[in-house]
Amino acid sequence: MRIFHHNQVFDPSGGFHASSAKRTMTGQSMDTWEMFTRESLQNSWDARDRVSTEDGVTFAVDYDVIEGTDLEVLRSVILGNDFTGVPALKSQVQEETVPLLTVSDTGTVGLRGPSNATSATTGHTEFTSFVRNIGRSDQKELAGGTYGFGKAVFFIASRVDTVMVYTRTSDENDQPVHRFISMALTDGYQDGSVNHTGRHWWGIESRATTGTGSVTYAEPFTGELADRCAKAMGMDRYFSEERPTGTAISVIAPDLAAPETGLRNIARSLTRWAWPHMVTTEPDLDPIEFHVNLRGSAIDIPAPQDDPALKSFMQTYARALSMQPSESEEWRESLVYRTTRVFTGRPRKKELGRLSVKTLVAPVDEKDTVVGKTIESEVALIRNPRMIVEYWKGPPDVTGEPYCGVFLADEAADRVFARSEPAAHHEWNHESIQNEKGLLEEFWGSDSRNNPVKIFFEHMRLLLKRSVRKNIGQGEDRHFAAATDIARGLGDYLANSVGGVDTRVTKPRRSSGGRGGGRKSRTVGPTTDVRLVDLRRSAGDQITAVFDVTVDAAETVYPIRLDAKPLIRTDGSDVKLEDAADAGVEFPVFESWEVTSRDSGDVPFTGSSLVLNEPAIQIRASVSQPADCAITLYVDITELAPGTGETQQ
């Protein structure tokens, strides 16, 4: 079989410089591999099989090195010996090994439709959209992308500007088909008196008639030959009976100076931008199974629930999804969480989406999260594809407290937000749509120059500047919020106030052999510091006091056990459980620990005792507070013998 290299020349009427598509993507304010991860995952999600939401999607990134007989398949079967206009590719395949970075998805529909772009069709055109065309029509269904330039990031990621594409899909007649084709985007060049666009394909030579004549071009390999090429390149590993269709794209000679470091960054990027797909929150959403591998060895993908920032984003996301319908921009819910719907207000009221916010105990430092920035007033902007567009920095809350939030675009506004994104889809920019009259008329349902994206950011800033304390409700709820503010700031002076909480908690001395420390004892060894951070009201007007527990201990001291001891506070002393029982007084009850740990292997806590094998990022203790009494909390430390859970003697 003769391999045909289609080296595209400019038509007499003009054409498209391949380098223009690459320049569009390299001009974005985002790292190449961040764009690579986002674009490839977006493509896979858009291609999911929507017939069922139970079969799921596999998304995988694999780094491999081709050598030996597999490398010979690349040289003699896939590419042949014509490298005109692609000298870097020629040099690479002459090496003893060729590295590949393959992005695979299965449980998706693959690149469907005809293999050439000449004929007009009302059916599927995913193959020609990815392999043949650059740019996209506004008439096409809007999924994640709006420009059609995103595919260029695959070529940017290659040191030789070349990728291979393998897809198991259906053709224009809805018949099963397997296809394999190679393609490159390089700088345009002159060959004698002929100008070349810099676009290349390797496949089977074919001719097609156009409206102005006939052209020669490269058709993909199909059937057994396509499968043979894919197997040699390791591009068929994720197809199965349960997920028989999909696409694999291999980047030849990926621009990774250190493959393991690069793959770990890709794994972190997946968690950073796609964590909504890593948590079970929407039952009708196709689950995605993620893989990142270095030559067959798995690279860990950070779990969002173990990330101190993403854990809070996840909680606000769940609340945004469960919001009840509303016609007003009024904050609802509790002191820690608040939700509202965002509307335009002019020229007519249109919903833009749902906003959910959580107040944080403290900012989350950049070094402690995969988000890549310190989280102190950030809102994750999310469209219907359920991937993060950006972590937008909102204004400070008037209380000075840090917060994080999630905004979910309303389905009716999704198209407007999508069109406001640049080619990398990493922000919403109202200037991008200010002159799109048709889009604005579609959104408003009438002629309007008002820009809904600009209105969105104006409303967001106003909403987020308002203190939740001024908007959570009327009557007792408002008084309860005010009492919490006072308790946080003036707890030292409220030891005997009705329903108060005393924040005067000293550092107890180290506990040895189970002996508790007294308040006036000298501090020795590891200590704790306890601070009230919240009061929560639940059903039946039950109040829960939440304390932040800080441990001051060297890492060599671990493992340790923390024992929480709630007490009733009076003017002169602390009332213990046995004394309260004798007096017939209701006593505060310890409810739970909440621990954010660097290592999920910490020994589980039992009741009011918590065992830690290493320092925790954040520790909170919740205590049920009886009505009409003030409470305080002591936390004692006991050193344990390593690996035994027994007290260190």
Side-chain angles (χ1 to χ4, degrees):
M1 180 198 68
R2 177 175 175 271
I3 302 163
F4 177 62
H5 173 201
H6 178 200
N7 187 356
Q8 189 183 54
V9 299
F10 277 97
D11 187 270
S13 61
F16 190 94
H17 283 280
S19 57
S20 298
K22 293 197 296 182
R23 247 191 329 270
T24 298
M25 298 307 294
T26 54
Q28 305 298 310
S29 58
M30 177 170 277
D31 174 76
T32 295
W33 290 105
E34 291 275 357
M35 290 193 297
F36 178 89
T37 304
R38 287 165 60 108
E39 178 68 20
S40 55
L41 180 57
Q42 183 70 71
N43 288 347
S44 298
W45 179 246
D46 291 346
R48 67 192 183 280
D49 182 357
R50 306 187 193 198
V51 174
S52 169
T53 58
E54 299 177 355
D55 49 354
V57 172
T58 298
F59 178 84
V61 180
D62 289 85
Y63 181 92
D64 296 292
V65 175
I66 303 301
E67 56 190 346
T69 56
D70 293 334
L71 178 55
E72 188 56 36
V73 172
L74 177 63
R75 291 168 175 163
S76 61
V77 180
I78 296 174
L79 295 175
N81 55 15
D82 183 358
F83 297 97
T84 305
V86 202
L89 177 61
K90 180 178 181 180
S91 298
Q92 180 64 66
V93 299
Q94 290 175 342
E95 299 287 336
E96 293 184 358
T97 61
V98 173
L100 298 180
L101 186 71
T102 302
V103 179
S104 306
D105 61 60
T106 58
T108 56
V109 295
L111 300 178
R112 297 175 295 186
S115 60
N116 74 70
T118 301
S119 301
T121 177
T122 58
H124 300 295
T125 58
E126 288 95 341
F127 187 89
T128 55
S129 294
F130 188 86
V131 175
R132 306 295 189 192
N133 301 329
I134 294 179
R136 62 173 291 147
S137 167
D138 284 346
Q139 303 304 313
K140 292 296 182 182
E141 177 187 358
L142 176 65
T146 53
Y147 290 87
F149 294 117
K151 66 174 74 71
V153 77
F154 291 97
F155 303 92
I156 296 169
S158 168
R159 294 196 304 270
V160 297
D161 306 308
T162 308
V163 304
M164 298 176 288
V165 180
Y166 174 61
T167 185
R168 295 185 182 182
T169 186
S170 56
D171 63 17
E172 61 272 30
N173 299 312
D174 289 329
Q175 296 301 306
V177 64
H178 296 186
R179 292 169 172 159
F180 187 104
I181 194 167
S182 303
M183 49 195 297
L185 289 183
T186 67
D187 292 335
Y189 69 98
Q190 286 186 334
D191 183 6
S193 60
V194 179
N195 287 324
H196 291 255
T197 66
R199 303 189 69 196
H200 306 257
W201 297 264
W202 287 264
I204 298 173
E205 184 174 8
S206 184
R207 293 190 65 82
T209 301
T210 68
T212 58
S214 64
V215 295
T216 302
Y217 69 105
E219 279 278 14
F221 303 151
T222 58
E224 187 276 333
L225 178 57
D227 294 342
R228 177 189 169 197
C229 294
K231 183 174 181 60
M233 300 299 104
M235 298 170 69
D236 65 344
R237 71 192 81 188
Y238 293 102
F239 293 100
S240 65
E241 289 186 7
E242 293 76 19
R243 299 175 185 174
T245 56
T247 301
I249 302 170
S250 283
V251 175
I252 298 179
D255 192 11
L256 289 172
E260 182 173 356
T261 300
L263 288 174
R264 292 196 183 281
N265 288 337
I266 288 174
R268 288 170 61 86
S269 185
L270 284 172
T271 304
R272 180 180 306 125
W273 304 114
W275 57 260
H277 290 280
M278 298 179 179
V279 297
T280 303
T281 51
E282 295 182 80
D284 58 345
L285 201 65
D286 257 309
I288 302 181
E289 180 184 310
F290 294 91
H291 302 275
V292 178
N293 297 295
L294 174 63
R295 305 191 73 172
S297 297
I299 298 291
D300 287 337
I301 300 173
Q305 56 266 35
D306 295 335
D307 185 289
L310 294 187
K311 182 177 181 180
S312 292
F313 279 111
M314 288 166 53
Q315 292 165 341
T316 58
Y317 177 61
R319 281 166 172 77
L321 290 171
S322 62
M323 283 178 61
Q324 298 301 310
S326 173
E327 295 298 326
S328 63
E329 288 185 346
E330 291 293 334
W331 289 115
R332 283 172 167 74
E333 291 201 19
S334 68
L335 296 173
V336 177
Y337 299 100
R338 55 198 194 271
T339 59
T340 185
R341 290 180 181 264
V342 184
F343 294 87
T344 59
R346 66 181 194 275
R348 52 180 294 200
K349 194 171 186 178
K350 298 275 288 185
E351 183 169 354
L352 294 171
R354 293 169 279 178
L355 173 62
S356 174
V357 177
K358 177 185 179 182
T359 301
L360 302 175
V361 174
V364 180
D365 193 271
E366 178 180 357
K367 69 178 185 298
D368 296 324
T369 174
V370 302
V371 173
K373 59 165 66 174
T374 296
I375 303 301
E376 53 189 354
S377 60
E378 274 62 34
V379 177
L381 306 182
I382 305 177
R383 289 199 294 106
N384 283 339
R386 294 299 188 251
M387 278 174 272
I388 313 303
V389 175
E390 69 168 318
Y391 292 93
W392 176 71
K393 189 167 188 62
D397 187 279
V398 295
T399 64
E401 295 177 313
Y403 66 87
C404 70
V406 164
F407 173 80
L408 294 181
D410 186 73
E411 185 175 349
D414 200 76
R415 182 177 177 84
V416 172
F417 286 118
R419 290 280 287 276
S420 76
E421 297 170 4
H425 306 291
H426 65 293
E427 64 181 357
W428 290 340
N429 184 350
H430 70 87
E431 294 179 349
S432 298
I433 62 168
Q434 62 185 5
N435 295 319
E436 294 205 28
K437 182 178 179 181
L439 177 68
L440 297 179
E441 288 182 358
E442 175 187 325
F443 175 76
W444 294 113
S446 61
D447 188 7
S448 175
R449 295 182 181 273
N450 293 77
N451 190 317
V453 178
K454 185 176 182 179
I455 294 172
F456 162 74
F457 284 114
E458 291 172 351
H459 281 230
M460 287 282 283
R461 290 186 180 94
L462 288 173
L463 283 165
L464 292 168
K465 282 180 180 178
R466 300 176 193 163
S467 169
V468 64
R469 310 300 184 270
K470 301 181 185 299
N471 293 279
I472 62 168
Q474 303 294 326
E476 293 182 0
D477 283 343
R478 184 164 293 177
H479 296 312
F480 182 68
T484 301
D485 286 337
I486 295 171
R488 285 175 172 172
L490 303 175
D492 287 348
Y493 304 100
L494 297 178
N496 202 31
S497 65
V498 176
V501 180
D502 187 8
T503 59
R504 296 177 296 169
V505 184
T506 61
K507 295 181 179 180
R509 70 187 177 99
R510 165 185 172 185
S511 175
S512 177
R515 295 189 297 275
R519 293 189 62 199
K520 299 180 181 179
S521 299
R522 181 173 60 90
T523 299
V524 179
T527 61
T528 61
D529 185 49
V530 184
R531 182 172 66 93
L532 174 71
V533 293
D534 198 13
L535 292 176
R536 300 173 182 171
R537 171 172 284 166
S538 59
D541 287 336
Q542 175 62 54
I543 297 175
T544 297
V546 181
F547 297 87
D548 188 48
V549 180
T550 303
V551 177
D552 183 8
E555 291 201 25
T556 55
V557 170
Y558 290 81
I560 60 172
R561 186 182 71 236
L562 303 182
D563 292 293
K565 299 178 180 179
L567 301 173
I568 295 176
R569 170 58 54 86
T570 66
D571 285 337
S573 62
D574 298 328
V575 178
K576 298 181 180 180
L577 176 60
E578 54 269 26
D579 297 329
D582 292 341
V585 177
E586 185 180 1
F587 199 77
V589 177
F590 180 84
E591 291 184 352
S592 65
W593 295 98
E594 182 178 341
V595 181
T596 302
S597 177
R598 297 184 309 189
D599 179 8
S600 60
D602 284 340
V603 177
F605 63 85
T606 303
S608 60
S609 295
L610 170 68
V611 177
L612 297 174
N613 289 325
E614 65 170 11
I617 296 172
Q618 184 182 79
I619 306 172
R620 285 182 179 176
S622 297
V623 179
S624 175
Q625 177 181 339
D628 300 326
C629 73
I631 68 171
T632 189
L633 178 70
Y634 280 79
V635 177
D636 285 339
I637 296 181
T638 303
E639 295 180 44
L640 303 177
T644 67
E646 300 296 331
T647 301
Q648 179 76 52
Q649 300 297 324

